[in-house]
Structures are given as C-alpha cells and as structure tokens.
Amino acid sequence: MATAPENDWKAKYEAKQTELNELQRFFNEYQDSCNELEAELNREIENLERKCKTTENDVAKRYQAQIHEMEVSTSTLQEEHGEANQRIQILEKERRELEQKNDDLERNYRVLECSFESAKDRCDKAIERVVWLEGELEDLRQRDQEREQRHQDKLREKLQAAQLVSKSVPEAASPISHETPTPTPTH
C-alpha cells in the first residue's frame, strides 16, 4: 500500500499543478486584460489630457481675448467718460453764462419797461399839453380873428367916415383918392 499514498500524492500534485496552470493562465489572461485596459485607459487619459490642454489653451486664449477686449472697452469707456465730463463742464459753463445773460436781459427788460412807461407817461403828458396848446392856439386864433374883424370893422367905419368927409370937402382941396381900400383878412 505504499504505492497508493504515493499515487495519491502524485494525483494531488498533478491536480494542483493543473489547477496552478489554469490559475496561471487565468492570471496571465487577467494580466493581459489589465494591461490592455491600462493601455486603453492611458490612451484615453492622454486623449483627455490633450483635450483638456487644448480646451485649457482655448479657454486661456478666449480669457486673454476677453481681458484685452474688456481693457479696450474700459479704456474707451474711460475716454468717453472723460469726454462726457468735459462736455458736461462745458455745458454747465454755457448754462451759467446763459443764466447770466438771461438775468441781464431780464434786468434790461425791466429797465426798458420802466423807460417805456416813463416815455409813455411823458408822451401822454406831451399829447395832453399839445391838445391843450392846440385849444389855446385855437382860442388865440379865434380872439385874433375877432380882434382883426373888429379892427377891420373899425377901419371900414373910419374909411366910410373919411369918404363922407372927403365928399363933403371940395375935391380940389383934398388929396385923398376916391378909391376905397379893401382890407385883406389874415389867418
């Protein structure tokens, strides 16, 4: 029976060797599969790193472009702000000048209005005086005409009286002409 335990041991050894070979084959397949998977993952990592680097470069470029654009925009806005402030200062100065001119015009208007009222009052008084003087002049003309008429009437009476006297005095003795002068009315 010595052969049976020896055979037993050999059978066990062979079974274990077969098992070991199969495990070695599974291990090698597993290791190959892992190596393939690792290589695939490495390729994917490299692809992702390249994409990431490309994306990072694109983002960096876009970021730099946006920063540059914002700097240009900020510079432009600052210039426009400065120009707007200058324009505001100019407009404020013009507004103050216009307000001053407006005040001057209003003051001049008030002075002119007072002068106009004063001139109007003087004109009204002058018109009243002219009307009064015209009335006085008309009265004087009337009195002058009446006086002239009285003088003419007296002159006519005296001439008639002189003519009567001259008719009664002989013609040879009197140097007075027989014509009767007609007085001319003066206006």
Side-chain angles (χ1 to χ4, degrees):
M1 288 217 157
T3 58
E6 219 177 270
N7 281 339
D8 219 12
W9 177 82
K10 274 187 179 184
K12 282 184 182 181
Y13 172 77
E14 285 175 9
K16 290 290 179 190
Q17 187 66 32
T18 304
E19 197 177 314
L20 180 64
N21 286 341
E22 203 160 309
L23 280 174
Q24 185 66 40
R25 188 178 54 82
F26 280 132
F27 176 73
N28 288 340
E29 284 177 7
Y30 174 75
Q31 200 170 21
D32 288 342
S33 172
C34 282
N35 286 338
E36 285 175 15
L37 187 59
E38 185 178 354
E40 189 178 323
L41 286 174
N42 282 336
R43 281 191 303 272
E44 195 171 327
I45 287 172
E46 285 174 7
N47 285 338
L48 288 173
E49 282 176 347
R50 264 182 280 159
K51 283 182 182 178
C52 187
K53 196 160 209 137
T54 303
T55 303
E56 185 179 313
N57 287 338
D58 289 347
V59 167
K61 284 179 185 176
R62 277 190 272 151
Y63 178 72
Q64 288 299 324
Q66 286 180 347
I67 285 175
H68 178 71
E69 188 178 312
M70 290 173 101
E71 286 173 349
V72 168
S73 180
T74 301
S75 175
T76 303
L77 287 173
Q78 285 174 340
E79 288 174 11
E80 289 174 1
H81 183 263
E83 290 171 1
N85 279 339
Q86 287 177 345
R87 185 70 180 137
I88 287 170
Q89 289 173 353
I90 290 169
L91 289 173
E92 281 294 319
K93 182 180 176 188
E94 288 175 358
R95 183 186 60 82
R96 285 191 300 273
E97 288 173 356
L98 286 174
E99 285 176 350
Q100 183 64 41
K101 286 179 183 178
N102 188 45
D103 291 344
D104 293 344
L105 287 173
E106 286 177 353
R107 189 173 28 262
N108 290 341
Y109 175 77
R110 287 191 296 273
V111 167
L112 286 174
E113 193 173 35
C114 287
S115 297
F116 175 75
E117 288 298 322
S118 175
K120 185 178 173 187
D121 289 344
R122 286 191 310 254
C123 186
D124 288 344
K125 287 178 184 176
I127 289 172
E128 287 175 13
R129 179 140 173 87
V130 165
V131 168
W132 181 80
L133 287 173
E134 284 176 347
E136 288 293 311
L137 182 63
E138 189 59 37
D139 287 347
L140 285 173
R141 279 187 189 149
Q142 186 76 23
R143 277 187 256 147
D144 279 348
Q145 280 179 351
E146 288 172 1
R147 200 174 323 153
E148 186 181 331
Q149 189 63 41
R150 277 192 310 251
H151 287 301
Q152 283 179 357
D153 290 345
K154 282 181 186 178
L155 183 61
R156 207 174 297 123
E157 285 175 10
K158 286 185 182 184
L159 282 175
Q160 285 175 355
Q163 279 179 354
L164 284 177
V165 168
S166 71
K167 281 187 184 179
S168 60
V169 175
E171 283 185 22
S174 113
I176 300 176
S177 114
H178 294 293
E179 294 180 5
T180 327
T182 319
T184 56
T186 56
H187 295 281

